Amino acid sequence: MAAQASLPALIRKKRDGERLEEEEIRSFVRGVTEGTAQQGQIGAMLMAIRLRGMDAAETLALTRAMAASGRALAWPPAWRGLLVDKHSTGGVGDKVSLALAPALAACGCKVSGAGGIGQGRRAWAGVPTAPPHPPAPCPQVPMISGRGLAHTGGTLDKLEAIPGFRVTQSPEQMQSILERVGCCIVGQSEELAPADRVLYGLRDVTATVDSLPLITASILSKKAAEQLWALVLDVKFGSAALYPTQESARELAQSLVAVGERLGIRTAAVLSRMDEPLGRCVGNSLEVLEALECLGGGGPPDLRELVTTLGGVLLWQCSLAGAAEQGRERLGRALDDGSALRTFEAMLGAQGVPPDTAHRLCAGTPAQRRQVLGQARVCEELPAPSGGWVQQVEALPLARVLHELGAGRARAGDPVNPRVGAELLVAAGQHLREGDPWLRVHHDGGLGAGGRRALQTALRLATGPPRAPPPRLAEAILPPGAAAPAGFTPGRGDGQ
């Protein structure tokens, strides 16, 4: 009752621009978790935080209180210093985690006598851990992933396009899978940071989704409860991202790195552009197929670049590579030599996929893979409305139309059609004649004239070839004193 009675005073204090003390923040989070705070009061506090902000100490206190609101995951003592994670702020065609988790596990399991630091994910993403019997530490990659809302797709939705895949695993089952396979991708337990689930649901309906301290606390409270050692964040910016500009994405990345470090997690962030889809495919089943191409050493260059860059940073963070560039090369070898793909197949089997299904998906021909996942009833190609040079294919119009066709959900619990998607048939710099096909759309009916017109707005043509596009990977945000990976503009995680 004390927390409930003091809540209006705390709301008033933050509303008036004053800072909240750590115990006051803990009191608010207790009210959220225990149900003594009314929804109207929680919404009022969220809006006060959105308008007045929080300093670094307040944000850290909020993150710690949310992490302590539920169960903390426990791992074997031998894994200490080996648990790492990757988190993405989400984007169109972002299937990175499907390739990154098994590639990291494959790298770690091939390292003899190397110590390291490990990981988890927006989903859990790459946890190098030691095997149950020494001598060789083996990275384990537990990814706790999310489902898609709005125009972005979720990792769990992509994996559930695979027949039999189970995203629900107990902590004990997770540990068993990690010991046997080295990676798993699962959904968030209801016991993990329960305060975040309440606040996350209310942020959408109170127009406070873009609050910097609330985003920071939401992401990192779950990572803290996962007992991580190291974390890499893929913070996207652009027309199809949460943050439209590199400057606003940098501000979030700096907040995440600074608070992550104060939580005792080795934290780094990479800023990546999200104006065009990542890779060539958008839609759950199609993205699984493209992730399999990447795991087999092929696939689109931009997807491979992001997978190996993030993985290289993680291997460097957990001391499994002397530098990020060395880690990147090592990730590339795991993709090229088949070890990452074999690890993915083992993960599928451990998470419920029948062995023959997992093998046909991972070792089969493209036609066999499509047969496993199923295909939409309609597959149609859109013609270029005029001739010209492709300047860009915008991600947001594609994602919105596919969402309407069933590829995404408007609210939690809505069904998703995994077969709906689109394949890009062109790339920037390519010359098209009027009528040339540029997009292949997969759907089960319902794409009318309005949807086709909306899709055509994604194709940007001009009379001349485009200038060289800026690199998709723009900047690295690191803790003070850390050297930036090769090819990146360095930034600091202390906000300076």
Side-chain angles (χ1 to χ4, degrees):
M1 288 297 294
Q4 186 178 23
S6 64
L7 190 49
L10 298 184
I11 295 169
R12 187 180 304 111
K13 186 175 181 180
K14 178 47 66 179
R15 180 202 68 187
D16 294 341
E18 299 180 51
R19 69 179 309 278
L20 298 177
E21 301 299 326
E22 184 172 356
E23 179 51 44
E24 292 174 326
I25 292 172
R26 286 201 298 263
S27 175
F28 166 65
V29 173
R30 280 197 301 271
V32 170
T33 307
E34 296 170 2
T36 57
Q38 300 174 23
Q39 282 203 350
Q41 293 175 318
I42 300 172
M45 179 63 87
L46 293 175
M47 184 58 71
I49 293 171
R50 166 64 181 81
L51 296 177
R52 292 296 191 171
M54 281 183 153
D55 64 22
E58 287 177 293
T59 305
L60 178 64
L62 178 62
T63 306
R64 283 175 169 161
M66 289 168 60
S69 68
R71 175 180 180 177
L73 295 178
W75 305 104
W79 294 5
R80 177 173 171 78
L82 296 172
L83 291 168
V84 302
D85 188 15
K86 166 258 177 187
H87 177 89
S88 168
T89 57
V92 178
D94 186 354
K95 69 282 293 179
V96 166
S97 292
L98 276 65
L100 178 59
L104 283 165
C107 284
C109 291
K110 296 191 316 187
V111 177
S112 176
I117 306 152
Q119 146 180 352
R121 186 198 134 181
R122 164 187 149 195
W124 291 62
V127 180
T129 57
H133 303 291
C138 225
Q140 326 239 321
V141 184
M143 288 191 172
I144 295 181
S145 298
R147 298 189 182 277
L149 282 174
H151 66 270
T152 60
T155 296
L156 299 184
D157 298 315
K158 303 182 206 306
L159 286 168
E160 286 184 330
I162 302 172
F165 192 92
R166 293 197 301 266
V167 300
T168 301
Q169 304 286 339
S170 70
E172 293 74 23
Q173 289 170 322
M174 285 177 62
Q175 183 169 323
S176 174
I177 294 170
L178 290 174
E179 288 175 344
R180 289 182 286 121
V181 177
C183 63
C184 65
I185 301 179
V186 301
Q188 180 182 339
S189 164
E190 292 186 358
E191 298 174 328
L192 194 71
D196 177 63
R197 288 199 309 279
V198 177
L199 297 180
Y200 190 89
L202 287 174
R203 281 166 55 204
D204 186 43
V205 299
T206 56
T208 56
V209 168
D210 61 348
S211 167
L212 194 67
L214 293 178
I215 295 172
T216 301
S218 177
I219 293 172
L220 293 181
S221 61
K222 295 186 286 288
K223 304 310 177 187
E226 291 163 14
Q227 302 291 302
L228 299 179
W229 182 270
L231 172 68
V232 67
L233 301 131
D234 177 13
V235 181
K236 299 187 182 298
F237 66 93
S239 59
L242 177 63
Y243 285 99
T245 66
Q246 185 172 342
E247 291 72 21
S248 56
R250 182 188 302 122
E251 188 178 6
L252 172 61
Q254 289 172 335
S255 175
L256 289 165
V257 170
V259 174
E261 286 287 313
R262 294 185 67 180
L263 289 169
I265 303 171
R266 293 188 178 182
T267 309
V270 170
L271 305 189
S272 64
R273 289 178 171 83
M274 182 40 65
D275 297 302
E276 298 184 275
L278 179 63
R280 296 185 300 265
C281 294
V282 181
N284 295 315
S285 291
L286 293 177
E287 292 186 47
V288 171
L289 294 174
E290 194 163 67
L292 285 165
E293 291 180 25
C294 181
L295 283 163
D302 61 341
L303 174 60
R304 181 184 173 101
E305 179 187 32
L306 190 52
V307 169
T308 56
T309 298
L310 294 173
V313 170
L314 282 170
L315 292 178
W316 165 59
Q317 284 178 299
C318 63
S319 303
L320 294 175
E325 185 58 31
Q326 294 174 4
R328 180 174 178 169
E329 294 171 357
R330 189 168 176 186
L331 254 291
R333 290 194 295 271
L335 297 173
D336 294 336
D337 66 17
S339 58
L341 185 58
R342 290 192 295 272
T343 302
F344 185 70
E345 181 179 345
M347 184 188 78
L348 296 183
Q351 292 194 235
V353 179
D356 61 332
T357 301
H359 188 69
R360 277 190 294 133
L361 191 61
C362 294
T365 65
Q368 289 172 325
R369 289 175 173 178
R370 288 193 296 269
Q371 186 178 30
V372 168
L373 298 178
Q375 293 180 272
R377 293 200 305 268
V378 180
C379 181
E380 64 174 282
E381 294 182 349
L382 294 188
S386 62
W389 294 85
V390 179
Q391 305 292 305
Q392 186 181 63
V393 177
E394 294 184 354
L396 193 55
L398 292 181
R400 284 174 171 166
V401 173
L402 295 175
H403 182 272
E404 292 298 318
L405 291 172
R409 55 173 61 84
R411 59 184 62 86
D414 285 353
V416 168
N417 185 340
R419 298 176 298 276
V420 170
E423 299 173 78
L424 298 181
L425 306 178
V426 299
Q430 184 173 337
H431 186 266
L432 289 178
R433 296 170 299 180
E434 182 178 349
D436 284 347
W438 72 274
L439 184 73
R440 184 177 296 127
V441 188
H442 301 249
H443 61 95
D444 284 343
L447 179 62
R452 292 184 183 91
R453 284 194 300 270
L455 288 172
Q456 293 287 19
T457 67
L459 179 63
R460 301 284 300 277
L461 297 173
T463 56
R467 290 180 293 182
R472 185 178 284 270
L473 306 184
E475 186 176 346
I477 304 296
L478 304 172
F488 278 98
T489 299
R492 288 175 57 187
D494 57 1
Q496 301 299 315

